[in-house]
Each structure stands twice: as structure tokens, then as C-alpha cells.
């Protein structure tokens, strides 16, 4: 798992934060640490060559690990431009000469940001490194708006990040299991789970075709198609009309996952009825994990009451130690994130 790693140095932590598009405030601290990450030998070598020290080799390394690094998805030009502005400010605060290529790259980013071509926007995205050697990662397109086309389903939400990190402490729950995710949204959680824990099958579900199509594109972008040991699928599932056909379709399900789906009280009963349908064949043999960001206590309490009235029991199995196991600090807020195990009151229905 990708955790802050002193052995790899501050440059690695900066690279992770940059590609995950953490806040500029977070980047300032990461840049400061990376610019301080040089040895006495580095200082002596540059000083001997130029009778001054400006960390030019260090600046070049930072540039090539971030803005100049080739990737299928890179932050949009506007973010890169702001990053470079902070970069220059931090270098000048040290009273160093700014590496010449920084100015050239910054100028190119400004031009690209002004042009805002459809190609540059379509290629923009966030990338999350999932392990410490950078070999496994998930990239998703950049979505500048929280709500697009009347839906929040294209965004990545805090509880989804937390679900992935929690599973690093319990990978056996999904490894080589048949997993179905409800309300998959952008697909970030499922993509990360597939790459980290290799379930035997993983089905992304949502109720709108535009969301499902985006998930399919993200699956293709992240190379999850055609893996012999893992079946990945995308299917429509409307909680308002789940049926016996859905129960038959997913009769072999081992695990049901859902993250940040409890934002609208009108969805509570349909969601719980869908759990009834999808566990009709195997009952308590199906593990149900629900990741929640409690934004309003009253709303969540209403969900608990609705669940209890329909025969469901929620057990809080949150683990604070899971935070930071995968994603870089600052890419999501773990405050008020919880993980619940959901089970029917009786083992027989």
C-alpha cells in the first residue's frame, strides 16, 4: 500500500500528492519538504561547480517527478500552473535561483490553460498510487463540477476512499470473492479494490447510463479488462425497481459494498429493499459493508431508524488506524467517515 515513506524520500510524497491533486496548501508543505531533501554531498558538489547552491538538481528532479512526468492522466493545466507558481515561491523563499526549465514549463501551462482545448480537458485527471513502488495506480478523469448532468455520480466521495483504506486491514473479505458494489459512481473505490485485493469478480452498479458509461471508460483506462483471474462487469441496478431477476443475477454474491450513498432520505428504503433482494438467496452468508460520511447526524439517525424498522442491524466497525494506508494525506477528509457491517436481525427470513 502507498503510505508516506521516508525511505523513498519527500519527492515520492510530493509526487503522490501532486497527481492526486491535493490542495495547494498541502502542496506547499510537500514542496517545502522536497526542497529540503538534499545531502551535504549534494550541496558540496553544486557549490564546487558554481560557487553557489541553488538546488538546481533537486529542482529538476521535482519538475520531472511532477509536471514533466508522462502519464495517461495528468492534472489539468490550471492546477499545474498553480503548482508551478507555488514551486517558484518556495524556491525564491530559499533565495535560490529558479531552475530555467521551470519558467519554460510554467509559460507552456499558462498558454494551455488559456486555450482550454477539449483535448487537454479530456486528458486531465487524478492519479492515485496504490503501492510504494508506484506500479499499481488508479487514474480517473478530472471532474471540475460536483454535480454534472443532474447527478453526483461522477464524483469520488470521502467514504469511498475510507472503504478502500479500511479493506487494507481486512483484505480477506474481498480477495477471491464475488463482490457487487451499489452506487459505484466514478468507480474509484472499485478500481482500487480490484487492483489491490483481486476479487474473483467485481460488479459495478449504478442507475444511470451516463454514469455506467463513465465507469466502463475508467475500467478500460485502468487496464482491468481481460484479466484471466478476475471478472469485472458494469450493470444497471435501479433501487426503486430491484426484482427477483436481480436476485437471480447475483445469486452467488459474497460481498455487497456501498460508499457514500446515504445523502437522500428518499433513497433509504429503496436501498434497504435492494439489500433484501440481493441477499435473498444466501442470506447471512453475504457480507454487507457500508461506508458512510456522516454529514448530518439527523439524516443518519433517520437511516438507522429506517433500517431497524425493516429488520436490519448496523454495527460500527470503523478503524482509525486504516487512515493513510493507501491515499496521500489531503486527498480526502476522513472526518466523520465510518464503516458499518449491515446484517439482517435474524439469520433466517
Amino acid at each position: 500500500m502507498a503510505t508516506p515513506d521516508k525511505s523513498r524520500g519527500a519527492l515520492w510524497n510530493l509526487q503522490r500528492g501532486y497527481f492526486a491533486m491535493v490542495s495547494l496548501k498541502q502542496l506547499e508543505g510537500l514542496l517545502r519538504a522536497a526542497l529540503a531533501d538534499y545531502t551535504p554531498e549534494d550541496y558540496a558538489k553544486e557549490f564546487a561547480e558554481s560557487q553557489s547552491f541553488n538546488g538546481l538538481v533537486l529542482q529538476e528532479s521535482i519538475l520531472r517527478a511532477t509536471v514533466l512526468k508522462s502519464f495517461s492522466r495528468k492534472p489539468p493545466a490550471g492546477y499545474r500552473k498553480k503548482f508551478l507558481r507555488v514551486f517558484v515561491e518556495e524556491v525564491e523563499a530559499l533565495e535560490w535561483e529558479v531552475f530555467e526549465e521551470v519558467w519554460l514549463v510554467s509559460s507552456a501551462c499558462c498558454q494551455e490553460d488559456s486555450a482550454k482545448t477539449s483535448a487537454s480537458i479530456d486528458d486531465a485527471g487524478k492519479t492515485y498510487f496504490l503501492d510504494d513502488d508506484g506500479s499499481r495506480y488508479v487514474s480517473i478523469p478530472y471532474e471540475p463540477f460536483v454535480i454534472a448532468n443532474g447527478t453526483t455520480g461522477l464524483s469520488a466521495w470521502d467514504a469511498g476512499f475510507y472503504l478502500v483504506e479500511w479493506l487494507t486491514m481486512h483484505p480477506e473479505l474481498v480477495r477471491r470473492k464475488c463482490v457487487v458494489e451499489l452506487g459505484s459512481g466514478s468507480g474509484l473505490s472499485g478500481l482500487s479494490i480490484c487492483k489491490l485485493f483481486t476479487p474473483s469478480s467485481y460488479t459495478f452498479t449504478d442507475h444511470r447510463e451516463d454514469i455506467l458509461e463513465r465507469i466502463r471508460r475508467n475500467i478500460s483506462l485502468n487496464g482491468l479488462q481481460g484479466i484471466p483471474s478476475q471478472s469485472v462487469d458494469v450493470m444497471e441496478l435501479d433501487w426503486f425497481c430491484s426484482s427477483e431477476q436481480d436476485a437471480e443475477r447475483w445469486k452467488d454474491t459474497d460481498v455487497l459494498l456501498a460508499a457514500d450513498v446515504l445523502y437522500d432520505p428518499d433513497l433509504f428504503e429503496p436501498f434497504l429493499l435492494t439489500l433484501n433482494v440481493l441477499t435473498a438467496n444466501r442470506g447471512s452468508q453475504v457480507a454487507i459493508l457500508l461506508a458512510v460520511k456522516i454529514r448530518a447526524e439527523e439524516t443518519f439517525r433517520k437511516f438507522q431508524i429506517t433500517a431497524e424498522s425493516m429488520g436490519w442491524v448496523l454495527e460500527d466497525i470503523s478503524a482509525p488506524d486504516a487512515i493513510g494506508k493507501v491515499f496521500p494525506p489531503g486527498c480526502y477528509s476522513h472526518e466523520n467517515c465510518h464503516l458499518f457491517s449491515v446484517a439482517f436481525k435474524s439469520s433466517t427470513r
Side-chain angles (χ1 to χ4, degrees):
M1 267 57 75
T3 55
D5 186 357
K6 291 182 179 178
S7 66
R8 289 204 58 183
L11 184 60
W12 166 239
N13 295 327
L14 172 61
Q15 186 181 66
R16 292 176 63 224
Y18 169 80
F19 278 102
M21 290 181 62
V22 300
S23 70
L24 292 179
K25 183 177 181 180
Q26 190 81 23
L27 278 179
E28 287 178 6
L30 294 171
L31 266 168
R32 211 166 290 141
L35 289 168
D37 193 23
Y38 60 88
T39 66
E41 290 76 16
D42 295 331
Y43 183 94
K45 182 178 179 180
E46 184 175 328
F47 194 88
E49 292 174 352
S50 58
Q51 286 71 55
S52 64
F53 182 77
N54 294 289
L56 297 178
V57 173
L58 189 58
Q59 291 185 56
E60 182 179 10
S61 296
I62 291 172
L63 199 61
R64 303 208 177 285
T66 54
V67 182
L68 293 181
K69 185 172 178 62
S70 177
F71 237 78
S72 58
R73 281 288 186 272
K74 56 187 178 181
Y79 184 87
R80 283 178 273 140
K81 181 177 70 174
K82 292 174 183 176
F83 168 79
L84 289 167
R85 186 186 68 217
V86 175
F87 188 1
V88 169
E89 289 172 355
E90 292 298 326
V91 170
E92 290 180 338
L94 294 169
E95 298 184 350
W96 289 356
E97 176 187 339
V98 177
F99 182 54
E100 183 177 359
E101 195 168 0
V102 173
W103 297 117
L104 298 175
V105 174
S106 182
S107 176
C109 284
C110 288
Q111 292 176 17
E112 183 181 339
D113 186 45
S114 297
K116 285 187 170 62
T117 64
S118 59
S120 66
I121 294 172
D122 290 344
D123 288 341
K126 298 181 180 183
T127 296
Y128 302 93
F129 295 103
L130 303 177
D131 48 22
D132 288 332
D133 63 5
S135 61
R136 291 183 294 182
Y137 56 85
V138 168
S139 294
I140 59 171
Y142 172 62
E143 296 290 347
F145 305 110
V146 172
I147 298 177
N149 299 323
T151 178
T152 61
L154 301 179
S155 301
W157 297 95
D158 291 346
F161 289 99
Y162 181 67
L163 171 62
V164 175
E165 299 205 301
W166 186 92
L167 283 170
T168 63
M169 303 182 69
H170 305 278
E172 72 283 354
L173 292 178
V174 290
R175 183 167 288 140
R176 292 186 292 277
K177 298 293 180 63
C178 178
V179 182
V180 176
E181 182 184 1
L182 308 183
S184 298
S186 69
L188 173 64
S189 300
L191 293 167
S192 302
I193 289 167
C194 287
K195 291 209 170 188
L196 284 171
F197 311 119
T198 57
S200 59
S201 70
Y202 197 98
T203 303
F204 298 81
T205 72
D206 221 299
H207 74 297
R208 287 181 48 149
E209 182 54 37
D210 55 340
I211 299 175
L212 297 174
E213 182 56 34
R214 177 57 60 89
I215 296 172
R216 293 186 190 101
R217 289 201 296 268
N218 287 346
I219 289 172
S220 178
L221 172 66
N222 286 280
L224 286 179
Q225 294 175 319
I227 300 175
S229 61
Q230 189 177 67
S231 170
V232 178
D233 206 352
V234 181
M235 303 190 75
E236 180 183 4
L237 178 60
D238 188 338
W239 302 344
F240 285 88
C241 54
S242 53
S243 63
E244 291 182 5
Q245 184 178 358
D246 294 315
E248 179 63 24
R249 179 184 295 165
W250 289 300
K251 63 183 179 181
D252 298 322
T253 299
D254 297 307
V255 185
L256 291 173
L257 301 177
D260 247 334
V261 297
L262 304 179
Y263 51 88
D264 184 353
D266 289 341
L267 296 176
F268 294 170
E269 186 171 330
F271 171 73
L272 293 163
L273 287 172
T274 300
L275 296 186
N276 276 335
V277 170
L278 299 186
T279 58
N281 287 299
R282 302 191 64 200
S284 61
Q285 295 180 63
V286 181
I288 305 173
L289 299 178
L290 175 63
V292 178
K293 174 89 167 184
I294 300 178
R295 297 176 176 84
E297 290 284 350
E298 182 179 350
T299 301
F300 182 68
R301 181 57 187 152
K302 184 174 182 178
F303 173 74
Q304 287 180 305
I305 293 170
T306 304
E308 290 168 5
S309 71
M310 295 176 65
W312 293 98
V313 177
L314 278 66
E315 179 187 358
D316 193 336
I317 54 175
S318 305
D321 292 345
I323 296 165
K325 290 285 187 182
V326 178
F327 301 104
C331 78
Y332 83 100
S333 171
H334 56 75
E335 186 177 1
N336 295 323
C337 283
H338 295 263
L339 201 291
F340 292 92
S341 171
V342 184
F344 210 68
K345 287 181 182 178
S346 173
S347 57
T348 59
R349 301 188 187 181

